[in-house]
Amino acid sequence: MTDAQTSGEMLPGLLKVAERARRDPEGKFNSLAHLMDEEALTRAYRRLRKTAAPGVDGLTVEQYGQNLEENIRSLLQRMKAMKYRHQPVKRVLIPKDGGKTRPIGISATEDKIVQGAIAEVLQAIYEQDFLESSYGFRPKKSAHDAIRALNQAAQAGEVNWLLEADIQSFFDSIDRKLLREMLQLRVVDGSMHRLIGKCLHVGILEGEEFARPEVGTVQGSILSPLLGNIYLHYALDVWFEKEVRPRLAGKAVLVRYADDFVIGFERKDDADRVMAVLGKRMGKYGLTLHPDKTRLLPFGKPGGKKEARESPSTFDFLGFTFYWRRTEKGGWVVRCKTRRARLARAIKAVGEWCRRHRHHSIKEQHAALRSRIQGHFNYFGVSGNLANLSSLNHWAARAWYKWLKRRSQRTRLNWERFRDLLRDFPLPRPRVVVKLGVR
């Protein structure tokens, strides 16, 4: 998201690009590289997190900014002279559920600036093309919007059957040739393609091992989420909207957040037909659906239409578990709760944090712990999920008490004294931040 888009106003050059893209959905852009000027590169630098990890060159964002004007000027000159080279990406592994890991690429600060400037230009075009079914990494759209759309479709009786899909190693599987062909449909500026190519065809450094993969985009790259959206825009979104939906007998809704997506169907025969062809469609673009995590399941309102009378299942999407719940008045409503594994991971993470930082001052611990818990609440604080928020709050308090009590043999902390401490240093109270039925 650009600074201009955040404030609701686009810069004049980008605004012209966006307006033309909106007016002419089939139009091609021959001249875009001039938008990659010193101001654009400086904006890209300003958007970087100052605490972002450095790449292979060890240069931090703060260090780069100490001589920002000269560094930006040098970078632009090399870009214009076609002497700019993207440095190898440093790969690190971060933990996932079940003891698994996910690879993340860390680019050098200068390369992050180039990626950010490219993304700003491409976004001005593709925001006019992307469909309403796409919610991930887009201005003024969020995971909560995706959850709300799915919730409302189910409540309206349009999701009697749910196709839960999982693309295996999506970013590592993107066919670069096909991606370049997709980009050519809108962007024919050779200079932009060369810069994008440098960000795509980049070496990976993991420890002392160097590799240059032939497929995929680097997870963790500033540019990758946008390129992934472009790829699935053509591979999935447009196909579903223009070829699949018109052939269905009932209603259907696609909800996609980056590479996570589900499709809801009013009728089972429609769901079966799409389930039968979805794998082939993904295979055409070098993508593979996980055989165990891709499934079709009933999710109709209990006691509803004959088409949906099978006992409704639950399913997971974007860290939440969706399920039907009876209201006090006897009706049925779709609810979301924190996915069990996600909640367990959050509780464990808070406990580990308290253990590692138990010797810090109470004030420092409280500020950091409060920030971590509030961040969790800001995402998972949706209608109907207060019980799970309270669970995290409860176990966070117990973990804090446990490790404060153990940090010194001379500290005689009991539960009564800890409750007094919580009055002075309270943890965030669970509350609903997002009401799913209201925008």
Side-chain angles (χ1 to χ4, degrees), residues 354-372:
C354 290
R355 179 184 66 81
R356 292 195 308 269
H357 298 85
R358 64 187 183 275
H359 295 298
H360 291 196
S361 71
I362 298 294
K363 186 176 181 180
E364 289 176 321
Q365 288 189 53
H366 174 254
L369 193 57
R370 185 178 179 87
S371 177
R372 292 176 70 92

Side-chain angles (χ1 to χ4, degrees), residues 196-228:
I196 294 170
K198 292 180 186 295
C199 297
L200 281 174
H201 302 281
V202 61
I204 306 292
L205 188 65
E206 186 172 349
E208 296 182 356
E209 294 190 12
F210 179 82
R212 194 178 292 277
E214 296 296 321
V215 296
T217 67
V218 179
Q219 290 191 61
S221 159
I222 291 172
L223 192 55
S224 286
L226 177 55
L227 295 179

Side-chain angles (χ1 to χ4, degrees), residues 384-429:
N385 196 33
L386 276 177
N388 282 292
L389 302 185
S390 298
S391 179
L392 176 63
N393 185 279
H394 168 78
W395 289 107
R398 291 184 66 89
W400 199 19
Y401 168 66
K402 171 183 175 181
W403 292 109
L404 284 179
K405 188 175 181 180
R406 292 189 182 187
R407 72 177 183 170
S408 172
Q409 295 297 327
R410 292 174 296 178
T411 303
R412 295 186 176 181
L413 181 69
N414 56 33
W415 190 252
E416 185 176 347
R417 289 182 178 179
F418 180 67
R419 283 202 299 266
D420 291 339
L421 182 147
L422 284 178
R423 279 193 283 270
D424 295 328
F425 298 95
L427 296 179
R429 296 182 63 181

